[in-house]
Amino acid sequence: MAEFGTPGGNSGEKTRGRTTIADGVVATIAGIAIRETEGVHSVGRGASKAIGAVAGRVGGSSGGGRGVKVEVGEEQTAVDVDIEVEYGVAIHELADRVRGNVTDAVETMTGLEVVEININVFDVHVPGDDDEDEGEERSRVR
């Protein structure tokens, strides 16, 4: 959790209060920046991915930090993320875009320096595969 004082008035030495940024806030900012990157199909795996999909359907629930882990210090943060990419996307270029988007969003919104972003690509999404899988799952549970 990041904590820092806000300089007050002309004195420079006094502060007008303390700002605390929770780890979950940084994870949500990073998660949204990742999802907004073209070529990323989904963020997180298994349970976190399913929970994120359900949370996204519930009003008022952003689920932005699902599948994103962060370590937040007083001035710096590190991010770990699991992503599924779209088939045909150059993964090394996508990773660069993800890192740029996350760094811009987190540093702009929090003032924290992003020192590391670890990306684990766990799957490739092939269009059409989801339709077949969903049909099989539906027939099994009815």
Side-chain angles (χ1 to χ4, degrees), residues 8-79:
N10 298 326
S11 66
E13 293 180 20
K14 296 182 181 180
T15 61
R16 292 195 282 187
R18 185 170 259 342
T19 302
T20 303
I21 302 173
D23 294 6
V25 171
V26 177
T28 297
I29 294 167
I32 291 169
I34 294 163
R35 283 180 179 80
E36 289 178 346
T37 305
E38 188 174 335
V40 174
H41 178 72
S42 64
V43 178
R45 336 172 163 207
S48 69
K49 186 175 169 184
I51 291 169
V54 171
R57 292 185 206 130
V58 178
S61 181
S62 69
R66 303 271 185 226
V68 179
K69 295 177 185 156
V70 298
E71 184 179 336
V72 181
E74 289 183 24
E75 298 175 3
Q76 299 176 326
T77 187
V79 179

Side-chain angles (χ1 to χ4, degrees), residues 57-98:
R57 292 185 206 130
V58 178
S61 181
S62 69
R66 303 271 185 226
V68 179
K69 295 177 185 156
V70 298
E71 184 179 336
V72 181
E74 289 183 24
E75 298 175 3
Q76 299 176 326
T77 187
V79 179
D80 297 322
V81 62
D82 293 330
I83 63 172
E84 179 180 9
V85 301
E86 294 288 346
Y87 176 77
V89 173
I91 295 172
H92 63 285
E93 293 172 3
L94 175 62
D96 289 342
R97 288 194 308 269
V98 166

Side-chain angles (χ1 to χ4, degrees), residues 119-139:
I119 301 169
N120 178 40
V121 179
F122 69 87
D123 203 359
V124 175
H125 175 258
V126 179
D129 281 357
D130 287 347
D131 298 336
E132 295 171 17
D133 293 343
E134 287 177 12
E136 290 173 14
E137 288 179 20
R138 288 185 188 139
S139 64

